[in-house]
Amino acid sequence: MYRESLKPMAPTKQLKIIGSRVTVHLVDVSWRTQALPAEPSEAQIESWAVRLLDLIADRGIVDMQSGISLSISIVSSVEIANLNRTYRNKAEPTNVLAFPNDVLDERGLKFIGDIVICNDVVFSESEQFEKSLVDRYLHMLVHGLLHLCHFDHLVESERLEMEALEQQLLSELGVEHPYEVVDGTRSQ
């Protein structure tokens, strides 16, 4: 599990009444690199994460009975390359890594894991695939969150299932055609 010594921070707290129960989502977002111009704000990323947790709970993908917590770190290409080398034996930067977990945290919430997004790679991909930076960020958040929910894309059938779910979730958040082909290159 990836857990560097992150400084304690005030998490975003969202309360949602569902029937007779209260669901709490705690989302910790941290920047460990210089923010880029036009990059989504911490508040925007937190808001997306909370909305996505609701959407996946509505589909029965994750159990919300105890509430959910997760962390999202925005990192440099150097840091994500080091993580990619350490945990995936690949020596290059990547757009997003996810480190699933399934434990109750100190608040009694189900900690589902860490999502690590590389802003440099996401920025480059947004230009390469002619997507807005905000849409590309949201796509990487959805992708990472699905990995935390144990979806994968190593086998073709699993890839197709994961991509279909990504497209559904992104569509509900206003992002269409995340896998559109530009100049013969399919965005991933």
Side-chain angles (χ1 to χ4, degrees):
M1 175 178 85
Y2 164 74
R3 275 314 255 171
E4 289 195 7
S5 57
L6 298 175
K7 296 177 189 166
M9 59 189 82
T12 296
K13 187 174 184 179
Q14 280 284 347
L15 295 174
K16 181 180 179 190
I17 308 293
I18 303 174
S20 62
R21 77 174 202 260
V22 175
T23 301
V24 178
H25 305 310
L26 292 173
V27 179
D28 293 331
V29 177
S30 64
W31 257 262
R32 299 206 316 255
T33 188
Q34 183 69 38
L36 301 173
E39 195 167 21
S41 68
E42 181 177 327
Q44 183 64 61
I45 293 170
E46 290 170 345
S47 174
W48 289 336
V50 168
R51 178 72 177 120
L52 286 165
L53 288 169
D54 286 341
L55 290 172
I56 64 171
D58 291 346
R59 287 171 168 78
I61 294 170
V62 69
D63 177 17
M64 293 279 200
Q65 286 186 350
S66 64
I68 298 291
S69 70
L70 68 102
S71 77
I72 302 166
S73 298
I74 312 303
V75 302
S76 69
S77 56
V78 171
E79 184 171 351
I80 208 155
N82 288 334
L83 291 169
N84 209 16
R85 184 179 314 103
T86 300
Y87 294 100
R88 297 180 63 224
N89 208 25
K90 295 184 178 186
E92 66 271 347
T94 188
N95 47 24
V96 63
L97 291 171
F99 299 91
N101 205 324
D102 194 13
V103 297
L104 290 180
D105 70 11
E106 64 277 2
R107 298 163 290 221
L109 301 174
K110 182 178 179 181
F111 177 70
I112 61 172
D114 300 287
I115 297 172
V116 182
I117 298 173
C118 178
N119 64 355
D120 296 326
V121 173
V122 172
F123 179 80
S124 295
E125 289 176 346
S126 71
E127 290 184 335
Q128 177 185 359
F129 301 128
E130 298 177 7
K131 307 289 182 191
S132 77
L133 180 59
V134 169
D135 286 356
R136 190 65 183 161
Y137 243 95
L138 183 52
H139 186 181
M140 293 305 96
L141 181 59
V142 168
H143 189 85
L145 188 54
L146 289 178
H147 277 307
L148 295 186
C149 295
H150 308 288
F151 284 84
D152 214 333
H153 45 79
L154 298 176
V155 176
E156 181 70 7
S157 61
E158 293 174 352
R159 181 186 66 80
L160 294 173
E161 178 185 15
M162 186 174 179
E163 285 182 7
L165 186 52
E166 282 178 351
Q167 290 177 25
Q168 291 169 15
L169 293 169
L170 287 164
S171 179
E172 289 188 44
L173 295 169
V175 177
E176 300 297 329
H177 313 296
Y179 290 102
E180 199 168 66
V181 175
V182 176
D183 296 330
T185 304
R186 181 178 178 278
S187 66
Q188 306 176 31

